[in-house]
Amino acid sequence: MADEAKAKGNAAFSSGDYAAAVRHFSDAIALSPDNHVLYSNRSASYASLKKYSDALADAKKTVELKPDWSKGYSRLGAAHLGLSQYDDAIAAYKKGLEIDPNNEPLKYGLADAQAAASRARSAPANPFGDAFSGPEMWARLTADPTTRVYLQQPDFVKMMQDIQKDPNKLNLYLKDQRVMQAIGVLLNVKIRTPTDDADMPESSSPSPSPSPSPSPSERKRAAEAEPPRQPEPEPEPEPMDLSEEEKDKKLRKAEAQKQKEAGNAAYKKKDFDTAIHYYSKALELDDEDISYLTNRAAVYLEMGKV
């Protein structure tokens, strides 16, 4: 019976139906709980579904049941790699190669894990870090006078709780100005407040009705009257002299915009590392424009690094 369920699992896996493969291998494990091959196969199925935590549990069980079987360490390495646990993945692949030095899948897996670890070390630091973790988040939001008010609003609290549970949900709330303010507080980034009349829509008030045409006598009196004196144009204000500090700030803001545009272009090309580089440079030049931070956040979310 266990062999029959295993055969069904193998067939489902070969056809790409990994969820069915998990079910069949689970049936087989229920009938033969000490069979290390079944755990190995189910681990591969979970990994194909990107359920790496489940894949890791089965890989560990595989190695526990059969510590001298190199394939178990291949499963273990793949699960660790899927969870971005690069050092553990490297250790698992190396352990498998100690058992079977000529195993090609283990060699390829080790190379992939080492390359991933190298990329992770050279990548820019995640801008969020532990900003959303633990009670420190609530303490910092409470300490700031602006976000302290937001904490009295249930919908804001719910959004922050969602983000704390799953930082990937941040992307859902980036348009909420309160969330952006909270990000600024948590990451110690200045947020530029738009002026009251910025981006104001055009007036929707109705146009005044046209005045009725003057009568002939009114036109005559108007012609005889002295024409009204046109007001003299006011002199244009002289350009304000900027200090060296203000000039430098203006230049830095202009350069920051150029970096942002370069980042946008890279993002559209899915060149995420380059996009992060440009957005980070823009933020270094101008830490008052929150758009550089949110753009970089979007890239990290796309990369799954939040």
Side-chain angles (χ1 to χ4, degrees), residues 225-280:
E226 183 180 349
R229 181 176 297 175
Q230 297 294 327
E232 295 183 5
E234 295 183 3
E236 294 185 4
E238 302 215 355
M240 185 183 300
D241 290 332
L242 299 177
S243 67
E244 290 301 319
E245 182 179 350
E246 289 170 328
K247 289 179 181 178
D248 180 65
K249 184 177 181 179
K250 187 176 181 180
L251 290 173
R252 289 171 67 87
K253 283 182 175 292
E255 180 60 27
Q257 281 295 322
K258 292 181 181 179
Q259 298 292 329
K260 177 184 176 182
E261 291 169 5
N264 292 345
Y267 179 78
K268 289 178 182 178
K269 296 176 182 178
K270 302 293 184 182
D271 187 354
F272 297 135
D273 289 335
T274 301
I276 288 171
H277 167 77
Y278 284 122
Y279 291 141
S280 298

Side-chain angles (χ1 to χ4, degrees), residues 94-207:
K94 285 183 176 180
K95 180 66 176 177
L97 286 170
E98 289 177 7
I99 298 169
D100 185 2
N102 297 318
N103 188 293
E104 291 300 322
L106 285 169
K107 290 180 180 178
Y108 293 137
L110 177 59
D112 288 342
Q114 289 173 331
S118 177
R119 287 194 300 271
R121 284 191 293 269
S122 61
N126 190 320
F128 297 103
D130 297 325
F132 297 111
S133 65
E136 294 82 5
M137 180 186 82
W138 301 106
R140 296 187 69 178
L141 294 178
T142 302
D144 183 84
T146 302
T147 51
R148 185 188 309 133
V149 176
Y150 298 157
L151 291 175
Q152 300 173 16
Q153 302 169 8
D155 63 328
F156 173 77
V157 173
K158 176 65 166 55
M159 286 189 288
M160 297 308 297
Q161 288 173 335
D162 286 348
I163 294 170
Q164 191 172 46
K165 291 176 183 176
D166 181 4
N168 286 304
K169 289 187 176 180
L170 174 63
N171 200 35
L172 301 175
Y173 305 124
L174 286 178
K175 292 183 179 180
D176 192 298
Q177 187 60 35
R178 296 169 300 172
V179 173
M180 300 311 304
Q181 186 75 31
I183 292 175
V185 170
L186 296 173
L187 299 180
N188 196 28
V189 175
K190 298 177 184 178
I191 295 182
R192 183 176 57 191
T193 304
T195 57
D196 292 339
D197 59 349
D199 300 324
M200 289 290 287
E202 294 183 3
S203 173
S204 59
S205 58
S207 301

Side-chain angles (χ1 to χ4, degrees), residues 67-99:
D68 59 347
W69 191 47
S70 63
K71 195 168 188 176
Y73 295 96
S74 180
R75 303 294 189 218
L76 190 62
H80 280 305
L81 187 57
L83 291 168
S84 299
Q85 298 168 350
Y86 305 125
D87 290 340
D88 290 331
I90 290 170
Y93 286 125
K94 285 183 176 180
K95 180 66 176 177
L97 286 170
E98 289 177 7
I99 298 169

